[in-house]
């Protein structure tokens, strides 16, 4: 529907994806934000009209994955600040 067409992540998602890959971090684009809460959060954020992207860091106790998640957030913050 028209509202769904207006709520696309768009170029900001591609730009952040590329920034993560350049930083040597694993990243993948997806058409699905995940379960109910993740999809609801993304849908609400997209409704603000502000540039929006969704970063899913899986729940884990694996220190390597946790570190990659923290580095990902740092890369994303630096990328957003540079814009």
């Amino acid at each position: 529907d028209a509202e769904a067409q207006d709520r696309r992540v768009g170029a900001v998602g591609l730009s952040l994806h590329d920034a993560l890959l350049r930083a040597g971090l694993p990243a993948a684009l997806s058409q699905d934000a995940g379960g109910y809460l993740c999809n609801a959060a993304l849908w609400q954020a997209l409704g603000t009209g502000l540039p929006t992207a969704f970063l899913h860091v899986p729940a884990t106790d694996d220190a390597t994955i946790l570190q990659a998640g923290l580095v990902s957030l740092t890369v994303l913050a630096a990328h957003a600040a540079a814009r």
Side-chain angles (χ1 to χ4, degrees):
D1 70 10
E3 183 179 12
Q5 287 287 4
D6 290 340
R7 291 192 185 206
R8 292 181 182 255
V9 171
V12 68
L14 293 173
S15 178
L16 295 175
H17 174 258
D18 292 346
L20 291 170
L21 292 177
R22 282 193 305 274
L25 297 167
L29 296 174
S30 174
Q31 296 292 319
D32 184 0
Y36 174 77
L37 184 57
C38 295
N39 270 325
L42 178 59
W43 185 257
Q44 290 297 319
L46 288 169
T48 66
L50 298 171
T52 302
F54 184 86
L55 173 66
H56 181 92
V57 178
T60 182
D61 290 331
D62 184 315
T64 302
I65 293 173
L66 291 173
Q67 182 64 30
L70 291 175
V71 172
S72 295
L73 293 174
T74 303
V75 169
L76 293 175
H79 182 72
R83 298 187 102 228

